[in-house]
Amino acid sequence: MQPDPFRTFAGSKSIALPFSAKQIRMPFEAVYGKNSCFEASLDSVGSLLQLSMGLSAWKEYMGDRWALRCNPSSGNLHPTECYILALNIPGIGNGLHHYRSLDHHLEQRCQVDWHGDARLFIGLSSIHWREAWKYGERAFRYCQLDVGHALGSLRYAAALLGWRLGLVESPDDILGTQRKTDFIGVEPEEFDLFLEADLGQGIRGIPALEYHDWSGSANRIDSSPMYSWPIIEQVSQSTRRQSPLPSLRNTEVQDSPFCMEPEAVKTILGRRSAQKFDASYTMSQDVFFSMLHKLIPENTLPWDIWGFEHRVHPVFFIHRITGMAPGIYILPRGPSIQKNHFRSEFLWEKIGPLILLAKTDCRKAAKTLCCHQSIASESCFSLGMLAEFTILKSNPWRYRQLHWESGLMGQILYLEAEAAGLRGTGIGCFFDDTFHEFLGVSNHELQSVYHFTVGKPLLDSRITTLPPYSSLHSGE
């Protein structure tokens, strides 16, 4: 009964992308350095999309078959759609293209006239029904978290090509998602954001273009939809951006203090969500603090994609990390987090970049807060992300952006865990009010938006793993 996880546009010209990603040979840690800049081409664009929005595997169990992707998604439902605007890129026609991850193709939605240098833009949209089908009104939040994960996936993939990405101003109809004639009788898409790839000339913004020769009709993803959730459309309208985007900061990326050995492409394609953890495994403190280092905004990629002040702060439930007392810790990612926001009896003891709030066995609390899920207590650590809701009073669209920031943090943890031989899992089901009470947060200034957990995975041998595109390319 699940809606079709793949959107297609019948009648559009289709371009097969090459499978070139495995030709990129570098260790995972190299994504945090300065890499040689690839020329924009069919190969490099194919690698970017394969490593960010493409399939990473197929899974089979008792006759059921489902795809996994490089960009994780709540419930593996994948509401996020990806488009590119290609200008003067060899092998790709000038115009707007939809990325069809099922077979690694581009579907050309329209053409543009362009006689300048090579430019590449990437757009993201959401099909809310894919999430609402299962999660109801929570779907809007989950879609926004998925956008944050997709941002992270794109930024890491771009780093392997030596490209930077930046959010740019754009009209809501730039992806053609408001063309009602192309979406007759099918589930709509909500525009989320637009990015520009710096191919060596900087982030310059969208040039003046005229779109013409539109083609393609969107497929229907659910032939028998049930209850609709009107609140999702209301929140979508209320959180559409009205204010300009901030300017990107051109900060130098700092080197990481801990070196991960595995290959970057293997790590990205191997990322999975853990379903169960080894409750006896203890994580190295060096690995843990390396992960923390990547979450601190000023230190490293992917935060160079981010022009906003950082407004999300993780609260850690430490279970088993060498040399660290089990307990509750917080990582303030900005000056807004103050002692008076929390319980007066908390220790507030600084340990590296963390602040120790309480020494305690918090496994039971972590499990309870995450809807009684064992993955929050059997892991090495779990965390809940507190977002500063005070900024919503003057700028409601930041509701989306707070979830993007949280999803982006989750993507860092996913890949850092994978590179360390561990696994992570995003947790979208949690008792937010109980979490606030647990911490002593008594107003709406700080709100829980996302939870996450990391540990040593236990694999289910009953599930068969198959390569993502074996029928299309023998090398995958």
Side-chain angles (χ1 to χ4, degrees), residues 326-341:
I328 307 163
Y329 300 72
I330 189 169
L331 177 66
R333 299 175 66 250
S336 300
I337 289 295
Q338 300 294 327
K339 186 175 181 179
N340 60 3
H341 290 143

mmCIF file of all heavy atoms in Angstrom, residues 326-341:
data_model
loop_
_atom_site.group_PDB
_atom_site.id
_atom_site.type_symbol
_atom_site.label_atom_id
_atom_site.label_comp_id
_atom_site.label_asym_id
_atom_site.label_seq_id
_atom_site.Cartn_x
_atom_site.Cartn_y
_atom_site.Cartn_z
ATOM 1 N N PRO A 326 28.929 7.941 32.278
ATOM 2 C CA PRO A 326 27.572 7.933 31.730
ATOM 3 C C PRO A 326 26.777 9.099 32.306
ATOM 4 O O PRO A 326 26.916 9.434 33.481
ATOM 5 C CB PRO A 326 27.003 6.582 32.194
ATOM 6 C CG PRO A 326 28.199 5.730 32.445
ATOM 7 C CD PRO A 326 29.266 6.668 32.951
ATOM 8 N N GLY A 327 25.976 9.700 31.448
ATOM 9 C CA GLY A 327 25.192 10.829 31.933
ATOM 10 C C GLY A 327 24.640 11.676 30.818
ATOM 11 O O GLY A 327 24.640 11.279 29.646
ATOM 12 N N ILE A 328 24.197 12.852 31.207
ATOM 13 C CA ILE A 328 23.549 13.780 30.284
ATOM 14 C C ILE A 328 24.484 14.966 30.042
ATOM 15 O O ILE A 328 24.967 15.596 30.998
ATOM 16 C CB ILE A 328 22.213 14.267 30.870
ATOM 17 C CG1 ILE A 328 21.341 13.072 31.264
ATOM 18 C CG2 ILE A 328 21.477 15.157 29.868
ATOM 19 C CD1 ILE A 328 20.221 13.434 32.203
ATOM 20 N N TYR A 329 24.735 15.241 28.779
ATOM 21 C CA TYR A 329 25.633 16.317 28.381
ATOM 22 C C TYR A 329 24.932 17.177 27.323
ATOM 23 O O TYR A 329 24.042 16.712 26.626
ATOM 24 C CB TYR A 329 26.919 15.767 27.761
ATOM 25 C CG TYR A 329 27.760 14.871 28.635
ATOM 26 C CD1 TYR A 329 27.349 13.573 28.956
ATOM 27 C CD2 TYR A 329 28.996 15.298 29.117
ATOM 28 C CE1 TYR A 329 28.132 12.739 29.743
ATOM 29 C CE2 TYR A 329 29.801 14.467 29.892
ATOM 30 C CZ TYR A 329 29.354 13.183 30.205
ATOM 31 O OH TYR A 329 30.154 12.368 30.986
ATOM 32 N N ILE A 330 25.381 18.409 27.178
ATOM 33 C CA ILE A 330 24.860 19.264 26.115
ATOM 34 C C ILE A 330 26.029 19.877 25.350
ATOM 35 O O ILE A 330 27.088 20.164 25.939
ATOM 36 C CB ILE A 330 23.922 20.368 26.666
ATOM 37 C CG1 ILE A 330 23.227 21.110 25.505
ATOM 38 C CG2 ILE A 330 24.660 21.325 27.573
ATOM 39 C CD1 ILE A 330 22.098 22.022 25.960
ATOM 40 N N LEU A 331 25.842 20.045 24.049
ATOM 41 C CA LEU A 331 26.828 20.713 23.197
ATOM 42 C C LEU A 331 26.233 22.039 22.742
ATOM 43 O O LEU A 331 25.503 22.094 21.750
ATOM 44 C CB LEU A 331 27.180 19.837 21.994
ATOM 45 C CG LEU A 331 28.150 20.453 20.974
ATOM 46 C CD1 LEU A 331 29.530 20.657 21.599
ATOM 47 C CD2 LEU A 331 28.250 19.586 19.723
ATOM 48 N N PRO A 332 26.519 23.148 23.440
ATOM 49 C CA PRO A 332 26.011 24.450 22.984
ATOM 50 C C PRO A 332 26.699 24.831 21.670
ATOM 51 O O PRO A 332 27.924 24.886 21.593
ATOM 52 C CB PRO A 332 26.396 25.398 24.116
ATOM 53 C CG PRO A 332 26.732 24.529 25.286
ATOM 54 C CD PRO A 332 27.278 23.280 24.686
ATOM 55 N N ARG A 333 25.929 25.117 20.648
ATOM 56 C CA ARG A 333 26.488 25.468 19.339
ATOM 57 C C ARG A 333 26.355 26.962 19.058
ATOM 58 O O ARG A 333 26.481 27.390 17.916
ATOM 59 C CB ARG A 333 25.813 24.633 18.252
ATOM 60 C CG ARG A 333 26.029 23.136 18.441
ATOM 61 C CD ARG A 333 25.277 22.279 17.442
ATOM 62 N NE ARG A 333 25.764 22.463 16.087
ATOM 63 C CZ ARG A 333 25.073 23.081 15.123
ATOM 64 N NH1 ARG A 333 23.887 23.634 15.396
ATOM 65 N NH2 ARG A 333 25.565 23.177 13.910
ATOM 66 N N GLY A 334 26.113 27.713 20.100
ATOM 67 C CA GLY A 334 25.971 29.157 19.992
ATOM 68 C C GLY A 334 25.774 29.739 21.378
ATOM 69 O O GLY A 334 25.539 29.012 22.348
ATOM 70 N N PRO A 335 25.834 31.046 21.512
ATOM 71 C CA PRO A 335 25.784 31.691 22.827
ATOM 72 C C PRO A 335 24.400 31.727 23.461
ATOM 73 O O PRO A 335 24.261 32.132 24.617
ATOM 74 C CB PRO A 335 26.274 33.109 22.527
ATOM 75 C CG PRO A 335 25.883 33.341 21.088
ATOM 76 C CD PRO A 335 26.035 32.014 20.414
ATOM 77 N N SER A 336 23.374 31.329 22.720
ATOM 78 C CA SER A 336 22.006 31.477 23.234
ATOM 79 C C SER A 336 21.668 30.482 24.328
ATOM 80 O O SER A 336 20.716 30.689 25.090
ATOM 81 C CB SER A 336 21.000 31.332 22.083
ATOM 82 O OG SER A 336 21.224 32.308 21.094
ATOM 83 N N ILE A 337 22.400 29.376 24.405
ATOM 84 C CA ILE A 337 22.134 28.377 25.444
ATOM 85 C C ILE A 337 22.713 28.860 26.770
ATOM 86 O O ILE A 337 23.927 29.090 26.884
ATOM 87 C CB ILE A 337 22.741 27.018 25.048
ATOM 88 C CG1 ILE A 337 21.946 26.410 23.894
ATOM 89 C CG2 ILE A 337 22.752 26.057 26.232
ATOM 90 C CD1 ILE A 337 20.518 26.047 24.241
ATOM 91 N N GLN A 338 21.849 29.025 27.760
ATOM 92 C CA GLN A 338 22.255 29.545 29.066
ATOM 93 C C GLN A 338 21.832 28.585 30.179
ATOM 94 O O GLN A 338 20.874 27.812 30.027
ATOM 95 C CB GLN A 338 21.634 30.926 29.307
ATOM 96 C CG GLN A 338 22.029 31.982 28.279
ATOM 97 C CD GLN A 338 23.495 32.325 28.317
ATOM 98 O OE1 GLN A 338 24.127 32.293 29.388
ATOM 99 N NE2 GLN A 338 24.070 32.652 27.161
ATOM 100 N N LYS A 339 22.543 28.656 31.265
ATOM 101 C CA LYS A 339 22.300 27.771 32.401
ATOM 102 C C LYS A 339 20.872 27.891 32.925
ATOM 103 O O LYS A 339 20.266 26.910 33.359
ATOM 104 C CB LYS A 339 23.308 28.102 33.505
ATOM 105 C CG LYS A 339 23.292 27.182 34.700
ATOM 106 C CD LYS A 339 24.416 27.549 35.664
ATOM 107 C CE LYS A 339 24.429 26.615 36.859
ATOM 108 N NZ LYS A 339 25.547 26.953 37.793
ATOM 109 N N ASN A 340 20.319 29.100 32.880
ATOM 110 C CA ASN A 340 18.982 29.301 33.454
ATOM 111 C C ASN A 340 17.858 28.707 32.615
ATOM 112 O O ASN A 340 16.699 28.785 33.004
ATOM 113 C CB ASN A 340 18.729 30.795 33.686
ATOM 114 C CG ASN A 340 18.804 31.609 32.396
ATOM 115 O OD1 ASN A 340 18.993 31.058 31.314
ATOM 116 N ND2 ASN A 340 18.662 32.924 32.519
ATOM 117 N N HIS A 341 18.191 28.134 31.453
ATOM 118 C CA HIS A 341 17.176 27.459 30.646
ATOM 119 C C HIS A 341 16.842 26.073 31.195
ATOM 120 O O HIS A 341 15.844 25.472 30.792
ATOM 121 C CB HIS A 341 17.663 27.292 29.199
ATOM 122 C CG HIS A 341 17.751 28.572 28.442
ATOM 123 N ND1 HIS A 341 18.748 28.846 27.538
ATOM 124 C CD2 HIS A 341 16.982 29.688 28.478
ATOM 125 C CE1 HIS A 341 18.577 30.048 27.030
ATOM 126 N NE2 HIS A 341 17.501 30.579 27.595
#
